[in-house]
Amino acid sequence: MRIGTPGFIPARLTEIRHARRIPSRAALARRIESSASSVSRWEDDDSDQTPDPAMLVRMAGELHVRPEYFLRDTYESDRPTFLRSLSSTLVRDLAYQKAQMQWLHEASYIISHYVDLPEVDIPDVLAGTDYTQLRDEDIEQIALDLRRHWNLGEGPSGDIVALMERIGIIVATIPMNTTKLDGLCSWSPIDGRPHVLLATDKMSFPRRQMDAAHELAHAVLHRAVPAEEFEANLRVIERQAFRLGSAFLMPSTSYPHEVRRCSLAVLASLKERWRVSIKAQIKRLSDLDIIPEELSRQLYKLYSAKGWSKGEPLDQHWPIQQPRALRDSLNLIVDNGVRSKADLLATEFTISATDVELLCGLSPGWFERDAAEVVTLKHGRLDGEILPQGEGQIIAFPDRHRR
């Protein structure tokens, strides 16, 4: 039997340590003025020792969570979290992103108690086929089938993040503080809904499009991948996601017909229409065998010589829209008086207001601002005109929460 705080969840201590980028148990022990051996025992599921109530409160204050945080189960999925890389990414960066993903699962689950989020609309494109058996031509056809299913036509796709939210995927964007990770895809342990985290580091709209399409591809193709296969088949899984993401953004039935000749100038002009990076276009043309390997190498060399690896033309030409589903849901909950901001922080969320604002796309300080008051206009005279009973004029107030 545990001693200390009844109901303490050791995995929560590990999760918050990763989420706060605390590199080791010893480092955490120094912050809370305890011993590394004590922290190790508290994180150990097999240990019968937990922090006493006073230490629990101290840890919560130091780590910017409510004490109740340590008494709730984690929202860790039993399915693998899909990442771009394992070997070249620092362990603590991976741990940080996985912890943030678990928080995103929790936040969306809390919000779903009050708001009907869009139903997941991802067709079963595999139809019983194992993902490892997919050929390139299968993936090309899947991209076209998805576009038809979502009524996108064969031209430029529009904002992929907006599409993902429309089909029921929860999307959040956060700084990842590393160039090794561009995005993650995971599934909720509660309802199986796909969740995607995208990086905001060094961001441009074309890069956001490709990152989002890549994670969308994971949501479509790899939901049933067993955790034990993830590392062993990572190269295949990632290649499929890149291929489907590219095929979705640049359909084989339309995009290639607009490539009059293969030069960087032509690809730059196509970037303005398709909003896909020049580098991604070179790869796409190579994958479709439209340009030979030698020409693709030459284009890559010229691309590097122009210094475009650090930034392409038009990269900052388009604004980057932020995910809206969680943000709009919280505004809806508060503005309709279902729950107050203070209530949400005191009874629902156990992480800090800053953490919720970041994950849900709220403006900084949103929890500190008063909610808009709902007022009703009286019937009567308006600018000298008598309004009939039962009629009125709708006045649009600016949305103070939109960015």
Side-chain angles (χ1 to χ4, degrees):
M1 181 177 179
R2 297 184 187 277
I3 59 173
T5 301
F8 179 82
I9 307 295
R12 278 295 214 181
L13 182 54
T14 304
E15 179 185 80
I16 188 63
R17 183 165 58 79
H18 291 160
R20 296 294 183 236
R21 291 185 177 274
I22 300 173
S24 66
R25 295 171 177 178
L28 174 58
R30 288 192 293 271
R31 286 183 60 166
I32 61 175
E33 298 181 356
S34 183
S35 66
S37 60
S38 292
V39 173
S40 295
R41 287 192 293 270
W42 298 338
E43 286 194 23
D44 186 355
D45 275 322
D46 296 326
S47 172
D48 61 355
Q49 295 188 32
T50 64
D52 61 36
M55 178 55 74
L56 189 77
V57 171
R58 181 171 190 162
M59 284 198 305
E62 180 65 31
L63 299 173
H64 306 292
V65 293
R66 288 198 291 122
E68 292 86 346
Y69 174 89
F70 298 102
L71 307 180
R72 293 187 184 179
D73 285 327
T74 65
Y75 284 71
E76 184 174 6
S77 176
D78 57 356
R79 298 188 181 102
T81 297
F82 288 91
L83 308 154
R84 300 291 180 89
S85 172
L86 290 177
S87 59
S88 62
T89 307
L90 290 176
V91 172
R92 63 174 174 265
D93 288 330
L94 292 173
Y96 169 76
Q97 298 308 329
K98 288 181 178 180
Q100 294 291 324
M101 177 62 82
Q102 289 169 206
W103 284 2
L104 181 61
H105 286 165
E106 183 172 4
S108 70
Y109 180 64
I110 290 170
I111 290 170
S112 70
H113 290 160
Y114 303 97
V115 175
D116 288 325
L117 297 169
E119 290 189 13
V120 177
D121 178 22
I122 299 178
D124 180 11
V125 297
L126 295 180
T129 303
D130 189 274
Y131 75 97
T132 59
Q133 303 303 311
L134 291 174
R135 303 165 299 175
D136 287 343
E137 51 264 40
D138 297 325
I139 293 176
E140 294 291 332
Q141 186 59 51
I142 287 171
L144 298 175
D145 292 343
L146 289 172
R147 278 178 159 264
R148 278 194 292 272
H149 180 81
W150 294 323
N151 299 314
L152 295 181
E154 295 184 1
S157 60
D159 188 349
I160 298 297
V161 168
L163 168 66
M164 292 167 74
E165 293 197 303
R166 176 166 65 82
I167 63 174
I169 299 175
I170 298 298
V171 185
T173 61
I174 61 172
M176 296 193 179
N177 301 317
T178 175
T179 59
K180 301 294 186 181
L181 284 174
D182 299 311
L184 303 85
C185 180
S186 180
W187 286 263
S188 167
I190 305 298
D191 58 10
R193 183 185 293 270
H195 288 60
V196 166
L197 266 178
L198 296 173
T200 58
D201 313 76
K202 299 182 179 179
M203 187 48 58
S204 67
F205 185 80
R207 178 170 175 174
R208 167 63 56 80
Q209 288 285 88
M210 186 57 73
D211 289 346
H214 182 102
E215 302 308 327
L216 174 61
H218 281 312
V220 170
L221 296 178
H222 301 132
R223 175 174 180 170
V225 175
E228 58 270 17
E229 288 186 18
F230 174 56
E231 287 194 46
N233 291 344
L234 179 61
R235 182 171 296 182
V236 171
I237 289 168
E238 283 300 293
R239 188 183 66 78
Q240 290 179 349
F242 273 116
R243 182 76 185 226
L244 181 55
S246 297
F248 189 81
L249 291 175
M250 295 168 280
S252 60
T253 53
S254 54
Y255 165 77
H257 299 297
E258 298 189 15
V259 185
R260 302 185 306 276
R261 57 188 176 86
C262 294
S263 69
L264 294 185
V266 169
L267 298 184
S269 68
L270 288 173
K271 177 178 180 177
E272 185 171 6
R273 168 167 156 76
W274 289 88
R275 301 188 181 187
V276 179
S277 73
I278 296 168
K279 190 172 185 179
Q281 292 183 68
I282 298 171
K283 181 69 167 67
R284 180 68 174 145
L285 294 171
S286 177
D287 285 345
L288 292 172
D289 295 323
I290 292 174
I291 60 175
E293 185 177 344
E294 178 60 29
L295 178 54
S296 67
R297 282 200 298 266
Q298 291 176 6
L299 290 172
Y300 283 134
K301 287 181 181 178
L302 184 56
Y303 179 95
S304 297
K306 288 179 174 291
W308 288 355
S309 298
K310 298 180 179 179
E312 291 184 5
L314 298 177
D315 268 355
Q316 307 306 320
H317 185 65
W318 303 281
I320 301 174
Q321 300 299 320
Q322 300 302 317
R324 297 179 51 174
L326 297 184
R327 180 194 71 189
D328 289 352
S329 294
L330 282 171
N331 279 318
L332 187 67
I333 291 167
V334 171
D335 290 347
N336 283 274
V338 178
R339 298 296 295 271
S340 70
K341 295 179 181 181
D343 283 345
L344 289 170
L345 287 178
T347 62
E348 292 285 14
F349 296 111
T350 57
I351 56 179
S352 74
T354 301
D355 293 318
V356 178
E357 289 165 355
L358 180 63
L359 282 171
C360 296
L362 298 162
S363 58
W366 181 83
F367 277 99
E368 297 176 0
R369 293 192 291 273
D370 293 334
E373 293 185 7
V374 179
V375 297
T376 303
L377 296 177
K378 293 181 178 180
H379 296 297
R381 187 179 302 272
L382 183 63
D383 293 336
E385 178 183 357
I386 301 297
L387 298 177
Q389 186 71 16
E391 297 183 16
Q393 180 173 351
I394 298 175
I395 301 176
F397 287 87
D399 188 340
R400 59 187 287 192
H401 299 302
R402 291 190 188 279
R403 287 190 273 180

